[in-house]
Amino acid sequence: MSPELQLDSHGRLRHLLTLEGLDAGLLTEILDTAEEFDKTLRGPEKKLPLLRGRTIINLFFEPSTRTRTTFELAAKRLSADVLNLQMAASSTSKGETLFDTLKTLEAMQADMFVVRHEASGAAHFFAQHAAPGVSILNAGDGRHAHPTQGLLDLFTIRRYKSGAGRPGPDCFRKLRVAIVGDVLHSRVARSDIHGLRALGTTDIRVVAPPTLIPAGIEQMGVRVCHRIDEGLDGVDVVILLRLQKERMLGAYLPSMSEFHRDFGLTRKRIEALRRDAIIMHPGPINRGVEIEGDMAYGPQSLILQQVQHGIAVRMAVMAMILGPPQRRAADGRRGLRRARSAA
Ligand code: CP
């Protein structure tokens, strides 16, 4: 899968398929733009006219609560027209191919598709076949990538770990990050690692039993830990991953309770963390498995803030790709300010 497919000849986003290959400058531009949108979302007038007249279609072939609804809300906040195709009730259930589904919906003058699919590479397939001017946003493809989740995780980390004032370039470099749980099946882990590495984080530990660690993951620049206490030692950020039981065809674990005992974030383990360490989870949570049930929304948890940040981050990506040309990419934030003062 070629990461270059998502950039145009000027290095601007045309699609968003993966965080792999995106440099620190572009990632920072997206996060800065999201900060501006987040300010708007906290004010009385949450809607901006940036994507008026544009049509965005959500194609979710897998279930979703957070990603689908925040993409829809983000598009509506930008004044786009949004369609949610019910895939089980669509003609794909009669055998229509992904290619024909794409071409059929393009004929309705769609500008952007948000795609979630169980197959790694599905979003790339759409991007390869999309008409000029039509953009694809990957909302999660198999085990491969979940780039907007990666971005909202980076946004959350930057917001809570950059201290007072504007985040400096060292914000990510000094961090110690533990990614704990089902790394094997996790597109979130891959997107988080790509994003953190691009922004300079060098101390990233992936923490799981050997059966849930993909072969060769060290090549992504992470350290593998099979003991949770070693993995959590001194960390600033803990990113928990959901055990993806629906993708586990074999016996990856003796039992959920044994996983919780050996790799779950228990109250005792939370108490042993640094006082300023933050706890994240992309959701949905398996309560009592990845984290002790009544600690899920505890004082160090940012799980619900992650959901909230997803709206601003998705608005940023949509506006940078689909907004008026003067409002795209490096000009995104300035364009947003112009739109606000014109509104
Ligand atoms: N984080 C995430 O992708 O959640 P959903 O499956 O609810 O969209």
Side-chain angles (χ1 to χ4, degrees), residues 60 63-68 116 139 146 149 187-188 282-284 314:
F60 278 63
S64 167
T65 296
R66 283 145 278 266
T67 312
R68 200 199 61 71
R116 169 171 287 193
H146 193 346
Q149 179 71 47
R187 52 200 178 203
V188 176
R314 289 174 174 124

Side-chain angles (χ1 to χ4, degrees), residues 57 96-110 113:
I57 302 186
E96 188 161 60
T97 63
L98 291 185
F99 179 83
D100 288 329
T101 301
L102 172 68
K103 292 298 144 190
T104 300
L105 296 169
E106 276 181 355
M108 301 172 199
Q109 297 183 300
F113 293 91

Side-chain angles (χ1 to χ4, degrees), residues 35-106:
E35 283 288 355
E36 297 285 335
F37 283 122
D38 190 63
K39 274 189 212 130
T40 304
L41 291 173
R42 288 169 196 275
E45 181 46 76
K46 296 179 170 51
K47 207 153 171 161
L48 294 162
L50 288 176
L51 299 189
R52 192 175 281 157
R54 299 293 205 151
T55 302
I56 298 175
I57 302 186
N58 282 328
L59 297 177
F60 278 63
F61 295 84
E62 279 190 328
S64 167
T65 296
R66 283 145 278 266
T67 312
R68 200 199 61 71
T69 50
T70 54
F71 260 119
E72 180 174 351
L73 202 48
K76 286 180 171 168
R77 296 286 189 235
L78 292 168
S79 308
D81 295 316
V82 187
L83 301 179
N84 294 298
L85 211 65
Q86 303 304 321
M87 298 319 300
S90 78
S91 288
T92 56
S93 64
K94 298 182 219 162
E96 188 161 60
T97 63
L98 291 185
F99 179 83
D100 288 329
T101 301
L102 172 68
K103 292 298 144 190
T104 300
L105 296 169
E106 276 181 355

Side-chain angles (χ1 to χ4, degrees), residues 273-293:
L273 292 174
R274 291 168 58 98
R275 291 279 298 280
D276 62 351
I278 59 174
I279 299 168
M280 298 165 59
H281 190 308
I285 306 166
N286 291 307
R287 278 178 178 269
V289 179
E290 296 101 28
I291 187 164
E292 196 164 317

